Amino acid sequence: MSLNILDRRVKMSERKRLLIYAHYYVPDKASTGQLLRELAEGLLADFDITVICAVPSYLGTIENRYKTKKYYYENINGVRVIRVRVPQFSKADKISRVKNIIAYFFGAIGASFKAGKQEYVFAISQPPILGGLLGVFGKLAKKAKYIYNIQDFNPEQTIAVNYSANKLVLNFMMALDKFSCRQSDLVITVGRDLADTLKNRFKKIPKYTVINNWADDKSIYPLSPNNEEVHKFREKYGLAGKFVIMYSGNIGLYYDLPGIMRVIEKFKPGTKAADGREAVFAFVGAGSMLEELMSYVNKNGMDNVVFIPYQEKERLIYSLNSADVHWCVNAKGIKGVSCPSKYYGIAAAAKPVIAVLEKGTEIREIIEETDGGLCCEPGDYESIEKNIRWFLDNAGNDKASDMGRRGYEYMLKNLTRDVSIEKYRRALLEL
């Protein structure tokens, strides 16, 4: 059946109902919450969309206005949102995090009965394992078609970062997530290496497709270093006149940031780039490793390291454009397990990349195909140091800026919001 016929059917009839389970949704700053907002709003022409999510709580704290009722009902740009009350937590405290996740899981089940009839159910692989199970529940409860969007594979991710070594628990997690995959009408992975992991899990492979995450090129795009807001951002955080090497995103377990910080320590305060600017290493965001990194920096007198809080989405364009080069990193063992979506924003700002990613991973493949940065393996600290020095030695010439330009041109053709959402639209309508 051609897409044109499908288009006509959607326009002639009422929009189909689509239920999305999302642990985090805007205004939470989780990258998946931002992506799901853009996906939901991008599909509104064809679908009547309801999102079931937690009250805003990504950083652990919860505003008082979200502490009194079990459910909260909102409408955000045409998307109906049902929020589930969850307890506060600390990202450094496993027990409090588990309590938060379980509260969302059972609260989302209850909220499902308030969502009405649905033809499609869409769930992502977060929270680990439970996100997929919510999708299975929604499929059965609503008699709907189920789309399972795998952003991260678990328990593979749990194993990769040694978060748990309990084989009984890990085997149980694997069985549950395989069940979620089998129950789906379509599995969507966000990278070719993740598709390989899916295929390696099964003899009879569930129906799947690969759709990259994206950058919103309407809200993030290249700006001049002389842009007034970029200048204000640099001034505010002590980056003015410096050569800025930036990490932007979740400061969590999956990126070997302590190892990278030990490499950064070799670049003493006062280290200068070829164009005379002092080098500064900026970390923008928050997460479970933040306090450990801050403690290490203070203990070792690393005055050329700056920590900057999460930026609101409308301000992200200025922070990303404030860097001369960006980190894009994963810990060893994450190949085929997770895909660092931060790359898409980096490419949208036309910035070159220091990539610490395993060979054959989706993002490293893109960077190597476009010659958009320098790549090395996780744990290869000698090469990481060498790549930092290359960027310092080439500050002020066109080699680095040409890397950023090539990544940007590739992004415009293949990794924009419009391109990816059209792929989602087709995948759903053709089920």
Side-chain angles (χ1 to χ4, degrees):
M1 185 179 293
S2 71
L3 180 59
N4 288 336
I5 293 174
L6 287 169
D7 283 341
R8 286 198 297 272
R9 287 189 176 181
V10 169
K11 291 174 182 177
M12 289 169 61
S13 63
E14 65 181 44
R15 293 182 300 171
K16 298 292 186 180
R17 298 175 184 87
L18 169 62
L19 174 63
I20 298 177
Y21 290 103
H23 189 185
Y24 298 115
Y25 195 71
V26 291
D28 265 326
K29 296 177 177 62
S31 59
T32 51
Q34 301 293 332
L35 283 166
L36 288 174
R37 175 188 185 168
E38 292 172 6
L39 177 62
E41 293 178 9
L43 293 173
L44 278 173
D46 299 282
F47 297 92
D48 182 5
I49 298 176
T50 300
V51 172
I52 295 177
C53 59
V55 297
S57 54
Y58 178 64
L59 297 179
T61 58
I62 297 172
E63 296 179 30
N64 288 333
R65 65 191 178 104
Y66 286 114
K67 292 181 178 179
T68 58
K69 296 187 291 186
K70 190 171 183 179
Y71 301 109
Y72 296 83
Y73 301 89
E74 301 172 357
N75 187 295
I76 301 177
N77 294 340
V79 176
R80 182 189 182 204
V81 179
I82 305 175
R83 296 194 184 275
V84 176
R85 189 180 68 197
V86 293
Q88 295 191 153
F89 69 97
S90 166
K91 290 201 172 190
D93 183 343
K94 286 185 181 181
I95 294 176
S96 70
R97 292 190 75 177
V98 169
K99 288 180 178 178
N100 176 275
I101 289 170
I102 290 175
Y104 166 67
F105 177 74
F106 285 107
I109 288 176
S112 300
F113 295 105
K114 302 178 181 295
K117 180 183 177 182
Q118 303 289 330
E119 282 88 17
Y120 297 87
V121 169
F122 183 99
I124 65 170
S125 54
Q126 296 171 7
I129 309 301
L130 298 182
L133 291 177
L134 279 175
V136 175
F137 171 82
K139 173 182 179 173
L140 298 175
K142 303 298 180 183
K143 297 181 173 58
K145 293 177 181 177
Y146 169 35
I147 301 93
Y148 187 19
N149 179 220
I150 297 182
Q151 297 280 332
D152 312 286
F153 271 104
N154 273 291
E156 289 92 339
Q157 186 170 236
T158 303
I159 295 168
V161 298
N162 298 314
Y163 195 74
S164 173
N166 188 315
K167 288 187 177 181
L168 184 63
V169 171
L170 295 173
N171 288 339
F172 184 60
M173 290 173 67
M174 179 65 81
L176 290 176
D177 205 54
K178 282 186 174 181
F179 173 72
S180 296
C181 291
R182 290 193 189 98
Q183 289 295 310
S184 70
D185 295 280
L186 178 67
V187 174
I188 298 176
T189 71
V190 295
R192 290 163 285 184
D193 53 331
L194 275 74
D196 290 339
T197 299
L198 179 73
K199 289 183 278 189
N200 291 334
R201 274 186 171 190
F202 299 98
K203 290 182 179 179
K204 185 179 180 181
I205 304 167
K207 183 179 179 181
Y208 77 93
T209 190
V210 177
I211 305 177
N212 290 101
N213 289 339
W214 59 85
D216 183 355
D217 59 304
K218 306 296 190 301
S219 62
I220 300 176
Y221 43 85
L223 294 174
S224 165
N226 298 322
N227 176 275
E228 183 179 355
E229 293 298 329
V230 172
H231 179 72
K232 286 180 181 178
F233 182 89
R234 281 175 164 260
E235 286 281 348
K236 181 175 181 179
Y237 294 107
L239 308 180
K242 306 290 181 67
F243 184 88
V244 181
I245 301 174
M246 180 178 286
Y247 177 92
S248 179
N250 178 32
I251 302 176
L253 294 169
Y254 308 126
Y255 313 106
D256 188 27
L257 294 177
I260 288 173
M261 190 64 76
R262 289 192 292 272
V263 177
I264 291 173
E265 188 181 1
K266 297 181 179 182
F267 296 85
K268 301 302 181 184
T271 297
K272 291 190 175 182
D275 61 1
R277 290 181 291 163
E278 288 188 12
V280 62
F281 298 86
F283 288 79
V284 182
S288 59
M289 299 300 297
L290 178 59
E291 289 187 10
E292 179 179 328
L293 296 187
M294 293 178 71
S295 176
Y296 187 90
V297 165
N298 290 334
K299 179 180 178 181
N300 292 283
M302 298 167 66
D303 295 335
N304 56 345
V305 176
V306 178
F307 293 98
I308 300 170
Y310 266 118
Q311 300 300 298
E312 297 295 335
K313 183 183 177 184
E314 60 271 16
R315 304 291 302 172
L316 191 58
I317 182 175
Y318 307 120
S319 65
L320 291 176
N321 273 281
S322 294
D324 293 277
V325 58
H326 279 268
W327 293 99
C328 189
V329 304
N330 261 346
K332 194 170 186 62
I334 298 296
K335 177 182 178 181
V337 173
S338 182
C339 188
S341 294
K342 60 175 62 67
Y343 170 74
Y344 304 114
I346 296 168
K351 298 297 180 179
V353 184
I354 300 175
V356 185
L357 304 167
E358 291 172 90
K359 190 75 175 176
T361 55
E362 177 73 16
I363 298 303
R364 179 162 173 174
E365 291 277 302
I366 293 171
I367 294 169
E368 289 179 336
E369 287 168 11
T370 61
D371 189 19
L374 300 180
C375 302
C376 68
E377 291 288 315
D380 184 356
Y381 301 121
E382 183 176 334
S383 292
I384 295 172
E385 180 182 355
K386 179 181 176 182
N387 289 345
I388 294 172
R389 292 194 185 280
W390 185 92
F391 279 105
L392 292 175
D393 291 344
N394 285 278
N397 66 37
D398 293 335
K399 291 181 179 179
S401 60
D402 284 347
M403 287 179 170
R405 175 184 52 77
R406 288 190 292 269
Y408 177 65
E409 290 172 351
Y410 181 88
M411 184 277 302
L412 286 179
K413 292 178 182 178
N414 302 283
L415 302 171
T416 66
R417 172 181 176 178
D418 289 345
V419 168
S420 290
I421 290 178
E422 176 59 20
K423 291 179 180 178
Y424 272 98
R425 175 182 173 276
R426 293 187 183 203
L428 270 63
L429 293 177
E430 292 174 354
L431 275 180

